[in-house]
Amino acid sequence: MENFDWTSFTKKIAIKARLSDIYNAWTKSNELEKWFLEKATFFNDQEDAISKYINATGSITYEWFWFLYADPMKGVVKAANGKDFLQFTFEGECLVDVKLTAANGYTIVELRHHNIPTDDQSRQFIRLGCSNGWAFYLTNLKSVYEGGIDLRNKDKNLPPMINN
């Protein structure tokens, strides 16, 4: 494991959907709630919630809740170009870059999670844990936008598992 990169990882997936639809999936609260989160809220500079139907832009904050977890994740949208790129903080000061490209009728989603600290807890829960989490959620993004099936476990009577 001497040459293993604990500070970043990249995931890619091809989705048979329009690039603009996938961009909206990442930047509109109502779309994020279809495949990723139980509740997503973006806030402007005055800390007012932005409409769920408006794209997030750079330099705004967010508060995200997952199904079956009470604590929100809070962060900042660092960049959002309105077309094919966004960057946000995640798990503290980590950064997630989402780059979209069109190819042969697909939208290629390339997610890069980086700036990961190298202490043991960050290596276990952020580097390894988030890598697994993003693999599931990118698969769910594909499932929802290609076939309409949400793969997430939303049943509070079941314990946490790979799909929540």
Side-chain angles (χ1 to χ4, degrees):
M1 303 279 303
E2 172 179 321
N3 295 322
F4 188 81
D5 184 359
W6 290 102
T7 65
S8 71
F9 61 88
T10 300
K11 302 284 184 192
K12 287 185 182 182
I13 194 165
I15 302 173
K16 192 96 170 148
R18 295 181 326 171
L19 191 142
S20 61
D21 290 342
I22 300 303
Y23 185 82
N24 289 338
W26 286 94
T27 60
K28 289 184 178 183
S29 295
N30 71 311
E31 297 296 319
L32 280 163
E33 292 169 359
K34 289 179 182 178
W35 66 275
F36 187 37
L37 301 159
E38 179 177 14
K39 182 178 180 192
T41 307
F42 293 105
F43 299 94
N44 64 21
D45 293 341
Q46 292 77 42
E47 298 182 14
D48 297 321
I50 296 170
S51 167
K52 290 184 165 292
Y53 305 97
I54 295 177
N55 293 93
T57 58
S59 300
I60 64 170
T61 59
Y62 68 79
E63 185 175 78
W64 292 346
F65 290 87
W66 279 265
F67 284 98
L68 311 182
Y69 294 95
D71 296 327
M73 171 158 314
K74 296 181 179 188
V76 177
V77 177
K78 296 284 199 173
N81 71 2
K83 181 183 171 191
D84 60 8
F85 179 79
L86 70 142
Q87 181 184 71
F88 52 93
T89 62
F90 197 80
E91 290 291 348
E93 295 303 311
C94 297
L95 295 171
V96 173
D97 299 348
V98 178
K99 179 181 164 190
L100 308 175
T101 54
N104 301 322
Y106 290 89
T107 297
I108 309 302
V109 178
E110 180 178 331
L111 179 142
R112 181 172 177 250
H113 192 141
H114 57 107
N115 201 37
I116 301 170
T118 56
D119 61 276
D120 286 344
Q121 183 166 340
S122 296
R123 292 198 298 182
Q124 179 180 355
F125 293 104
I126 299 175
R127 173 58 180 89
L128 299 178
C130 288
S131 179
N132 289 334
W134 284 122
F136 168 73
Y137 283 107
L138 290 173
T139 300
N140 199 46
L141 175 65
K142 179 180 180 72
S143 181
V144 167
Y145 280 85
E146 286 188 3
I149 299 173
D150 184 353
L151 304 172
R152 294 175 292 174
N153 171 40
K154 300 174 187 177
D155 188 335
K156 295 181 189 312
N157 295 313
L158 295 174
M161 49 189 77
I162 64 169
N163 63 334
N164 63 345

